[in-house]
Amino acid sequence: MTALLESFTPGLPEKALTAADAPARRVWRHARVATLAGASGWGLIERGAIVTENARIAWVGDEADLPAQGNAAVEELDLDGALLTPGLVDAHTHLVYGGHRAHEFEMRLQGASYEEIARAGGGIRSTVAATRAAGEDALFASASARLRTLREGGVTTVEIKSGYGLSFEDEARCLRVARRLGTTGVSVRTTSLAAHALPPEFEGRADDYIAAVCEWLPRWHAQGLVDAVDAFCERIAFGTAQVERVFAVAKSLGLPVKLHAEQLSDSGGTELAARFDALSCDHLEYLSDAGIAAMRAAGTVAMLLPGAFHFLRETKLPPVAALREAGVPMAVSTDHNPGTSPTLSLPLMIHLACVDFRLTPEEAVRGATVHAARALGLADRGTLAAGRRADFALWSLEHPRELAYWFGHPACRGTVVGAAPKDLAP
Ligand code: NIG
Ligand code: FE
């Protein structure tokens, strides 16, 4: 049996095992497994084992009940008592961009608001300028370093939005970089967020810009660059009528939609998004009761982003108790971006979701696994059960509630993506 946690150490080149160098079947023994597979509870198996067949889970249960493996070539891996959870899913990031906005952070600490900075031409637009000036390889290099940090925090699936190019070619470049990041050991879903802000060349012509986005979307889609479509519905960005035009094109292409909604004000974006069966509505600090009812009826996930809440020193809380009461699934993600949430730790977001938004540790961990997967329309991950993808995170923890308890230092020992170990550390 291979002592797995000794055979993959940090700093070594990534070892992505393939069908060519490994048996198709693996038995992962000696783990405390939190499956999250039921409708509630951790699904904790104290002395657990998992059997994987190629990239999928074939069996999960108590090691004492492990089925006989017959004569098939099987690799046995000893997980040394680590806690094993579903790989974390970061379902809302803006990972590809140039530069940073530390100077605006200082301005905000001096009292300027996010909206004031945006209206004065800073904010998203300053990142657009830096992104347009960066070449594709430079964008890939900076984003892949960020992605590696996310992965070191247990993330095995990440959604990556465009939205800092805001022209046909600049957006395409960012989406190509996102696709390329999907070859580096994390599963990637791309989202077009061309309707993020008005680029300077369209100043005063927001409807013309939306018309351009509606023309560009089918072309990005034809290039295989887009898995979903997002927009920023806000008084400093686009109104519901403009977002509706973009969503209509997404629908005609068969692409799911999601929305940055009710982040700084109640703009009614949630009701619009629900009419388009949105996968998720994101931020939601200013969400109304009518918005909650619309999300509930549409089965839309409430994507909570405590990093942006914290970083903007927001005081209005998203209506978590009402969402819970309505049975709207709540997801938690990093919203990594240079303007409102420059964090690369999803476990830290799990902690903040509990302390600031009053989620229970179990809700927050489900929010970063099963509900985040749902927010991406992915039914094949987020829990550990036969048939699901073999995406795991391994932790130096005794109980999954500790994911919410410790903060600011990673306990992740490594990840497994599609049954291939990534940088597992002792
Ligand atoms: O999710 N709200 C809009 N988009 C980002 C922030 C973008 C930026 O400031 O660069 C967000 O908070
Ligand atoms: Fe965002």
Side-chain angles (χ1 to χ4, degrees):
M1 190 186 305
T2 314
L4 184 64
L5 296 178
E6 279 158 34
S7 53
F8 298 93
T9 50
L12 290 179
E14 180 178 301
K15 181 158 172 59
L17 297 179
T18 64
D21 67 356
R25 190 179 302 175
R26 294 202 162 97
V27 179
W28 310 74
R29 290 175 172 275
H30 193 193
R32 183 177 284 116
V33 178
T35 67
L36 299 173
S40 65
W42 296 104
L44 204 57
I45 307 168
E46 285 297 335
R47 177 91 195 194
I50 293 183
V51 180
T52 56
E53 210 45 82
N54 299 313
R56 301 258 158 194
I57 297 172
W59 182 91
V60 52
D62 199 306
E63 198 166 342
D65 302 328
L66 200 56
Q69 296 304 310
N71 295 327
V74 177
E75 186 181 7
E76 301 227 350
L77 301 145
D78 183 350
L79 295 174
D80 191 28
L83 174 71
L84 190 154
T85 67
L88 302 187
V89 177
D90 195 350
H92 182 140
T93 83
H94 311 243
L95 210 64
V96 178
Y97 57 85
H100 64 77
R101 307 230 293 275
H103 56 293
E104 291 183 6
F105 175 58
E106 282 187 318
M107 286 164 70
R108 285 197 304 100
L109 293 176
Q110 300 297 324
S113 76
Y114 180 72
E115 277 193 69
E116 282 162 5
I117 293 169
R119 288 186 197 285
I124 294 171
R125 274 196 186 184
S126 63
T127 299
V128 169
T131 304
R132 287 179 172 183
E136 195 157 326
D137 286 343
L139 288 173
F140 178 79
S142 60
S144 64
R146 292 177 199 125
L147 185 56
R148 188 173 182 92
T149 307
L150 278 179
R151 194 174 94 191
E152 285 165 0
V155 170
T156 55
T157 296
V158 66
E159 182 254 22
I160 301 176
K161 303 175 195 297
S162 67
Y164 292 120
L166 307 188
S167 72
F168 178 79
E169 190 39 51
D170 291 306
E171 287 284 296
R173 190 163 79 256
C174 294
L175 290 167
R176 281 195 301 270
V177 167
R179 276 277 181 260
R180 211 171 129 198
L181 290 166
T183 65
T184 65
V186 176
S187 223
V188 168
R189 303 294 288 174
T190 63
T191 299
S192 167
L193 178 56
H196 194 196
L198 196 60
E201 61 274 20
F202 280 86
E203 185 67 56
R205 297 188 299 126
D207 284 325
D208 291 348
Y209 179 63
I210 291 296
V213 170
C214 290
E215 195 253 311
W216 296 337
L217 251 182
R219 293 161 61 198
W220 293 320
H221 181 51
Q223 292 178 20
L225 293 174
V226 185
D227 297 325
V229 173
D230 193 352
F232 186 17
C233 188
E234 191 54 69
R235 54 196 177 205
I236 55 165
F238 299 102
T240 50
Q242 291 163 334
V243 172
E244 183 165 5
R245 290 167 61 195
V246 177
F247 280 4
V249 175
K251 190 174 178 186
S252 74
L253 297 170
L255 290 171
V257 302
K258 57 184 77 179
L259 190 64
H260 283 72
E262 338 304 3
Q263 179 184 13
L264 307 171
S265 62
D266 180 9
S267 308
T270 300
E271 288 94 317
L272 168 71
R275 278 203 281 120
F276 282 84
D277 298 316
L279 288 172
S280 69
C281 287
D282 304 35
H283 289 287
L284 303 176
E285 278 81 352
Y286 291 80
L287 179 63
S288 67
D289 288 345
I292 294 173
M295 289 176 73
R296 175 196 183 151
T300 298
V301 173
M303 172 60 71
L304 304 177
L305 302 168
F309 174 91
H310 162 81
F311 195 74
L312 293 178
R313 294 208 287 196
E314 179 59 69
T315 52
K316 178 120 173 57
L317 287 160
V320 164
L323 286 164
R324 183 186 289 127
E325 172 79 11
V328 175
M330 293 180 281
V332 175
S333 288
T334 62
D335 190 18
H336 174 85
N337 76 76
T340 67
S341 191
T343 177
L344 288 166
S345 173
L346 189 48
L348 179 60
M349 299 304 106
I350 290 172
H351 169 81
L352 292 181
C354 295
V355 173
D356 292 341
F357 290 174
R358 300 289 191 270
L359 268 64
T360 67
E362 185 195 318
E363 283 176 326
V365 172
R366 283 181 175 272
T369 51
V370 55
H371 295 319
R374 176 171 164 169
L376 296 180
L378 299 173
D380 64 349
R381 65 198 77 184
T383 63
L384 302 175
R388 299 285 158 92
R389 272 179 62 94
D391 290 354
F392 320 139
L394 290 149
W395 309 90
S396 301
L397 302 172
E398 290 177 0
H399 192 280
R401 66 167 67 94
E402 291 174 69
L403 280 168
Y405 167 71
W406 307 104
F407 73 104
H409 55 95
C412 187
R413 291 165 75 161
T415 53
V416 171
V417 177
K422 307 289 175 192
D423 302 329
L424 294 183

